[in-house]
Every structure is written in C-alpha cells, then in structure tokens.
Amino acid sequence: MADVTFDEFKKLDLVVGTVKSVQPHPNADKLYVLEVDLGEEQPRTLVAGLKGYYTPEQLDGKQLVVVANLQPKAMRGIESRGMLLAAQEGDRVVIIAPEAPLAPGSKVL
C-alpha cells in the first residue's frame, strides 16, 4: 500500500453524522440506503453494504464517522454522497463511531 502525505490526508473531511432513516436498497441485496444528518440543511444519502451486519433498528439514530467530501457515486442507481467508516475482522463489521454523543457535523481531528 502506498503512503500518503499529510497534505493529502488533510484533504479528507471527516465528520460525525447521525442516521435519520434506513431503507433496504431496492436494487441490491446487501445494501442499505441511509439518510444521515451531517449538520447541513438537508440529510445526506449514503449507500452502505451493511445489510448482513446490522438491522435497520440497530442503525437508526446511530452516530458514525463519514468521509463527507468524497466524490458522489451512483451505487446500483442511487447516488451516495459520502462514505461511512467501518472496520472488518473476519465475518464481523463494526461501524467507527464517536465515544460519546456529538453534534452532527462535528469535525474528526
């Protein structure tokens, strides 16, 4: 894996978001469509491959860390406007989340 410079890393806008709604993706078995509050005027739509790891009830209201300035990408016909951070260990996936509740849009330092 190639190293990135500190200046390249600083380009990432990592912020705390709060999941406002979760729906199954209409065109994919493993994807959810999340509406996430990032402290902006409107929630952001994120498409995430969490269906085999979390239920909608587990995700609703959950805080997480989002790469907010990632170029939008259509995933099976729905535009995702960011990416949540998660870690995988074997068959387990864990969402990266703040240790304590924070306001949506709080910057990750």
Side-chain angles (χ1 to χ4, degrees):
M1 183 177 299
D3 291 338
V4 298
T5 67
F6 185 69
D7 285 337
E8 290 171 321
F9 175 76
K10 287 190 323 184
K11 292 178 183 177
L12 294 177
D13 186 19
L14 302 174
V15 300
V16 173
T18 302
V19 177
K20 293 302 191 185
S21 71
V22 182
Q23 300 296 322
H25 194 296
N27 302 319
D29 292 336
K30 297 180 181 181
L31 301 177
Y32 284 128
V33 179
L34 310 174
E35 294 297 322
V36 180
D37 179 1
L38 297 182
E40 301 170 323
E41 190 174 313
Q42 298 292 324
R44 294 261 193 117
T45 299
L46 302 182
V47 178
L50 297 173
K51 209 169 190 183
Y53 307 103
Y54 288 87
T55 66
E57 294 78 20
Q58 290 172 312
L59 293 171
D60 190 37
K62 185 164 186 64
Q63 289 207 299
L64 37 81
V65 175
V66 174
V67 181
N69 63 337
L70 191 64
Q71 184 175 7
K73 179 175 176 68
M75 298 180 71
R76 299 276 180 113
I78 295 179
E79 185 177 75
S80 186
R81 296 187 49 236
M83 179 182 288
L84 63 85
L85 298 184
Q88 184 171 14
E89 179 184 54
D91 292 338
R92 187 170 70 132
V93 170
V94 177
I95 291 172
I96 306 301
E99 180 179 10
L102 294 168
S106 296
K107 300 288 185 190
V108 175
L109 306 175

